[in-house]
Amino acid sequence: MPRPAAPRRAAPRLVTRIPAPGPRVRRLARPGAVLLALALVFVVAWGTRPGPAQDAAPGGQVTAVTSVTRSCPPAAPGTATTRISAIALPSLAAARPGTAGQGTAKLDSEKQGAATPTGAATFAAVSSAPAASAKPPAKGNTGKAAAAKAGTAKAGTAKAGTAKAAAGTRAVTVSAPGTVATVTAAGGGGTAVAATGKMAMGFEAEQTNASGTGLVSCTHPGSDMWFVGTGQSEGAQETVLYLMNTGTVTVSADLTILTDTGQQNGLSSAVTVLPNEFVAENITPYVQGSQALALHVQATSGQVAASVWQGGTGGGAWLPQSAAPSTSLVIPGLTVASSAAKLFVVVPGGTDAQVKVVADTPAGAVAQFPGTPLDATAGAATPVALNSLGASAAGLRLTSSVPIVAGVLVPGTGIGSFTTAVAPVTEQGVVAGNPATRGVTVGLLLTAPTAAARVSISVISADGTVIRPAADQAVKVAAGHTLAVSVPRPPGSGKPFAIVMAAAAGSGPVYAVRVVTSGTGGLSAPVSSLLPVPSALASITLPAASNSYSAVLP
């Protein structure tokens, strides 16, 4: 028998054993992985980086103003009706120049920026307060908003001129850029103004009297505001603070009262203002015997609009909102009849101030207190009688050792009129309410404290007709000087008109106050109204931006 075949053995497998990495290899592996990951992130970032064309311009991007909110205070005590004058100025550059020395043109709102909606300005009542009387409202008196819905009137249906609200039942909507609109507020209370589209561009609104004279600017709600006025013993028989909340959040506001004797206890707790309500606080009991007064309003939650009225024998006046505390302030608006004007210097901090005061007049700079600085007490409002400036308009420059707030009382009708430290006019300055009645003179007081200024001035009638001088007739103000300029009223209608001023390119900073005088003598006649000229912006510049990688890994 054949022998069986022997079973085949499997071929031996070749096994290669890889030794475990040593400590040094393990230490190098982790940094290598991290470097590889960073390299990958860099490649991705480089491939997706924005191109150079996406960088913003060095000066930032300019964009049109499309939304503005303002709050107009209720009528002053003793006044039954609240009137508001308003105007929106998308651009005066679109007006066709006239052929005569004083050109005229008609603003065409439909041709100015066709891509931008016409927009509307809605005036909604924030009131049902009791009828005003000679006595200020009691402490804590509040008025609830009327049941007015914004936008219930159709845009474009209201005509420039006078629009009346029906007993607080509905809002008034105006849609006519470039024309002066006069609105009578419902119920004589506060008014919330919301402007959109082209009605927000260059928008300005003021509370006015029956003649159309702007008395106080309708303000933006804020959280920190200062007001400077005279004292109870110096003619302010009544002082009333109005706080209005046009937002949707309840506001809590603290009030600090400073007089020439220091801080007054006054209100012991914060003032609460509910949405769509206003509160009127009678400050008079807290400032008896005072010679000067300052009010500091601080909202600790939300934002609030504040206004202050002071009344005396023969009439009262609104206090313009002051610039924030600073070591350098400019107060324009002292008229040629201000030889008895009084300066109020407020020191919020705990250190006394040494203040240098210079008056910029038509003849140049004049030191008010040469030799030694003016001393102002810490934590108080110090009244100072100014040296006579003769028949000169002036603006004041204040330089202080510590931050201060300041204002001036100019004698005139009733208690007089107030001006205060303000910011220079940027882009364009607008006053919507100016009287066209006979027997009054309307003008601008322009101060250029640091560098020469060149200013164009235009007048806009109620129907939108623009009257302005030719380019070579622009007003020039030398550095360190103040210039008083009379503004002619538009011919014809006799309705209130607007004033627009704009500094030319390369002009130095210019500070302005609109002044109204009554009687003969032009701008040298007794003052009936002063109103600092606010900037009414048609566009804003956004901050510059550039490519930036703040992180490459989570």
Side-chain angles (χ1 to χ4, degrees):
M1 290 181 64
R3 296 176 63 183
R8 299 181 61 184
R9 296 181 179 179
R13 289 181 296 176
L14 180 63
V15 179
T16 303
R17 298 186 181 274
I18 301 176
R24 181 178 179 181
V25 175
R26 287 194 299 268
R27 286 197 302 268
L28 294 175
R30 292 180 181 176
V34 172
L35 289 175
L36 178 61
L38 288 174
L40 291 174
V41 170
F42 176 78
V43 170
V44 173
W46 182 263
T48 59
R49 73 191 189 283
Q54 292 178 321
D55 287 341
Q61 181 182 359
V62 177
T63 184
V65 174
T66 58
S67 179
V68 170
T69 58
R70 295 290 188 90
S71 298
C72 305
T79 305
T81 303
T82 302
R83 299 177 178 87
I84 300 168
S85 286
I87 190 170
L89 293 171
S91 174
L92 278 183
R96 297 182 296 273
T99 56
Q102 285 193 339
T104 62
K106 186 70 177 292
L107 284 175
D108 188 346
S109 60
E110 295 304 320
K111 293 182 180 180
Q112 295 179 35
T116 304
T118 300
T122 302
F123 300 77
V126 183
S127 71
S128 67
S133 63
K135 183 179 179 180
K139 177 182 175 182
N141 179 33
T142 62
K144 291 189 175 181
K149 294 184 178 179
T152 52
K154 293 183 179 180
T157 58
K159 296 181 180 180
T162 302
K164 293 186 178 181
T169 58
R170 62 187 305 175
V172 173
T173 300
V174 176
S175 183
T179 62
V180 180
T182 302
V183 175
T184 301
T191 304
V193 184
T196 58
K198 284 201 297 186
M199 282 300 294
M201 300 169 65
F203 184 81
E204 168 61 13
E206 299 136 17
Q207 186 190 112
T208 67
N209 59 16
S211 71
T213 302
L215 304 176
V216 61
S217 293
C218 301
T219 60
H220 300 279
S223 58
D224 195 298
M225 293 149 282
W226 282 93
F227 299 89
V228 180
T230 191
Q232 185 272 335
S233 67
E234 297 297 313
Q237 299 173 0
E238 303 170 283
T239 299
V240 183
L241 166 68
Y242 296 93
L243 299 175
M244 187 160 59
N245 178 10
T246 58
T248 58
V249 178
T250 298
V251 173
S252 178
D254 292 326
L255 176 64
T256 302
I257 304 174
L258 300 178
T259 69
D260 50 291
T261 59
Q263 183 171 337
Q264 307 302 306
N265 292 328
L267 301 175
S268 58
S269 60
V271 180
T272 299
V273 191
L274 298 179
N276 293 320
E277 289 190 7
F278 78 83
V279 173
E281 291 286 352
N282 183 7
I283 307 300
T284 313
Y286 311 127
V287 295
Q288 295 296 316
S290 60
Q291 299 181 41
L293 169 69
L295 299 180
H296 185 198
V297 179
Q298 294 174 290
T300 56
S301 65
Q303 291 188 321
V304 67
S307 302
V308 179
W309 180 86
Q310 288 195 306
T313 303
W318 293 92
L319 303 184
Q321 186 173 322
S322 296
S326 176
T327 57
S328 179
L329 299 174
V330 176
I331 305 176
L334 280 75
T335 72
V336 295
S338 55
S339 58
K342 185 171 289 186
L343 169 68
F344 307 105
V345 178
V346 183
V347 184
T351 303
D352 292 350
Q354 285 73 50
V355 185
K356 180 181 179 181
V357 183
V358 175
D360 290 329
T361 73
V366 178
Q368 272 287 299
F369 308 103
T372 59
L374 168 69
D375 291 325
T377 305
T382 300
V384 182
L386 293 171
N387 296 335
S388 176
L389 297 171
S392 296
L396 298 182
R397 279 183 283 150
L398 279 63
T399 305
S400 174
S401 58
V402 297
I404 58 173
V405 182
V408 171
L409 170 63
V410 176
T413 305
I415 195 175
S417 297
F418 295 91
T419 181
T420 190
V422 293
V425 174
T426 57
E427 189 176 324
Q428 62 180 3
V430 178
V431 176
N434 301 280
T437 55
R438 297 186 180 277
V440 302
T441 301
V442 180
L444 293 174
L445 304 180
L446 308 174
T447 297
T450 58
R454 190 167 177 266
V455 179
S456 64
I457 300 173
S458 303
V459 172
I460 302 182
S461 63
D463 65 356
T465 300
V466 182
I467 304 172
R468 57 183 176 182
D472 59 356
Q473 295 179 351
V475 174
K476 299 178 182 178
V477 188
H481 289 65
T482 290
L483 186 64
V485 182
S486 295
V487 178
R489 61 178 178 266
S493 68
K495 294 181 179 179
F497 62 95
I499 298 175
V500 185
M501 56 164 287
S507 171
V510 60
Y511 300 75
V513 164
R514 192 286 322 271
V515 58
V516 178
T517 63
S518 58
T520 59
L523 294 180
S524 299
V527 176
S528 59
S529 174
L530 292 177
L531 185 67
V533 179
S535 297
L537 302 181
S539 61
I540 57 174
T541 302
L542 301 177
S546 61
N547 295 328
S548 174
Y549 297 102
S550 58
V552 294
L553 288 176

